[in-house]
Amino acid sequence: MTPSILIPAGLILAGSIVLLYIIPVNLWITAIFSGIKVNLLELVMMRLRRVPPGLIVNSMILATKAGIKDVTLELLETHYLAKGNLLSVIKALIVADKANLEMSFKQAAAIDLAGRNVLDAIHISVNPYMIIVPAITGVSRDGIQLIAETRVTVRTNIKQLVGGAGEETIKARVGQGIIARIGAAITYMEVLERPEDISKLVLAKGLDSGTAFEILSIDISDISIGKNIGAKLQIDQAMADLNIAKAKAEERRAQAIALEQEMLALVQEAKANLIEAETLIPAALSYSFRAGNLMQGYMKNAE
């Protein structure tokens, strides 16, 4: 075969491959036999819009076979262009339909575009999920510390999944409720005897309001006794009072020592004055003797 014949044949083959890629005839035939109304022009336009026709058509076939009614090619293409996960949305709709849960394509697409895994959300709605709350520490009114371990069983609230608070909010609210209930107990024995009261009180507060979950149950799996906070506070107070008393006693001692030193100084001053006075006696006697006062006084005494 001459090169002049091979080159046109290669060009024809390459052109055929490009044409079949642009015009997916096989995909169109598959869609027709699957009951999907689509024409070749629509598939070509999808290709030009950089939308994979295979993903759109296969997702439509999957939804049609599962009996999902409100799905159209335009909705699928729009969701893909919005960077959504088409297969996850279609699978979620199928699971919701089989579980008799009301969910439309627009609702599932909104959940997916909100950044949540819509398929996992449907699974949790069908099969409730248990949230493990970290150990919560509370103190009863008699000063005893109690440590509670809690398990919260929830399922997805589809209507509040978009914009609803997540798992961490559930943990925080449950922890707050448990601390409040333990703190309201007069004695720690009251909590140990009836731990179910904590569950009932916390559950009655509607902690799932505004969240993406519906709380089914709150179970206290374990309660352990911690430190005697009341006794520790009393000991700390007693130590503080003792330190204050010691400080005041030390202050009084320092004042007494200062007073003692002051008195010693006064004694030394008095001694110095006495010595000074004693030094003046000889001079006074000499003066009296010279003035004759001393002898006159003596004669008067003799008479």
Side-chain angles (χ1 to χ4, degrees), residues 124-195:
I124 294 175
S125 182
V126 176
N127 301 308
Y129 168 68
M130 180 175 289
I131 298 176
I132 309 298
V133 180
I136 303 298
T137 301
V139 181
S140 58
R141 293 171 65 180
D142 58 353
I144 304 299
Q145 185 183 65
L146 296 176
I147 304 171
E149 296 180 6
T150 313
R151 305 289 184 268
V152 183
T153 303
V154 300
R155 67 182 176 192
T156 305
N157 188 338
I158 302 298
K159 295 181 179 180
Q160 294 184 355
L161 196 57
V162 177
E167 183 176 325
E168 295 302 320
T169 300
I170 294 291
K171 292 180 180 179
R173 290 182 179 179
V174 170
Q176 180 183 7
I178 291 174
I179 292 174
R181 177 62 187 92
I182 293 176
I186 298 176
T187 66
Y188 74 98
M189 291 299 297
E190 178 181 335
V191 179
L192 294 179
E193 290 174 358
R194 295 187 301 275

Side-chain angles (χ1 to χ4, degrees), residues 271-286:
K271 287 182 178 181
N273 292 334
L274 176 61
I275 293 172
E276 183 181 0
E278 287 177 348
T279 60
L280 296 176
I281 291 175
L285 290 174
S286 175

